[in-house]
Amino acid sequence: MAIATYKDLCIDAVDDARMQLFWARTLGLEAVPDDGGTLDLVGPTPQHRVWVNKVPEPVTVKQRVHIDVLAASTQEVLAQGATLLDWGPLPWDVLADPEGGELCVFVRDEVPAYKLYEVVVDAVDAHAIGAWWAEVLGASLVRGDADEASFTDAPGMPFELVFGNVPEPKTVKNRIHWDVESTELRALLDRGATLLRGPADDIDWHVLADPEGNEFCVFAPRN
């Protein structure tokens, strides 16, 4: 039984205004001005929403969490301000967003309006951390080869979540994370999550890390 439900996706950015426009166009979301003078990236459901959060730290290492997108051509993503990275021959193209964060483009003849295909997470043990998140979100884990696991059926999550083994350890805060809703904070901690920060004057949510150190935020459901 799920102890949390997927809420939305968050992306850190130094130049949040520029990155809001880039990701709105790249993901097929509507950029809606809000009362704070910024843009909200919204889609057909609340779970399609993407928050681009201003941070002071620039990209310094390869992202441990990255986004895969669908597009009619790689050129259309490059035209939004991305740059092509040379990762050798692959069945997809590896790009960097305007601030240097990696993303992958999968070219398709038919592209849906919502273009976020996968969120990919580097892992020490893809099967173990994938199983942890599948249990938390009430999904069915699909074990690929020895180095990959994924699921698509987490309630409300509008993309596939993929975990893949990498040799390098986590060294810095992830620039991409997801939020969940849950009233079961203790259950998350009992399953191996770590509390990084509790509610304070500037936030009304809990910041946790999963067993591999990936940050995520927990919100109490709103009636």
Side-chain angles (χ1 to χ4, degrees), residues 99-111:
E99 293 195 346
E102 298 84 5
L103 70 144
C104 296
V105 177
F106 289 72
V107 175
R108 297 287 189 267
D109 291 334
E110 296 184 8
V111 180

Side-chain angles (χ1 to χ4, degrees), residues 6 46-47 61 86 113 125 129 134 136 147 195 212:
Y6 175 80
Q47 291 80 15
V61 298
D86 184 7
D125 186 333
I129 195 62
V136 166
D147 295 325
L195 180 63
E212 288 207 358

Side-chain angles (χ1 to χ4, degrees), residues 15 36 39 53 59 70 73 76 86-87 93 116 119 126-127 130 146 148-149 153-154 159-160 172 177 196 216 222:
D15 186 344
L39 297 173
N53 300 321
V59 175
L70 300 172
S73 72
E76 71 180 37
D86 184 7
W87 279 36
D93 288 325
L116 202 167
V119 172
H127 287 183
E148 186 177 290
D153 61 342
F159 51 79
E160 183 173 5
V172 299
H177 74 270
L196 301 179
F216 65 102
R222 294 184 178 181

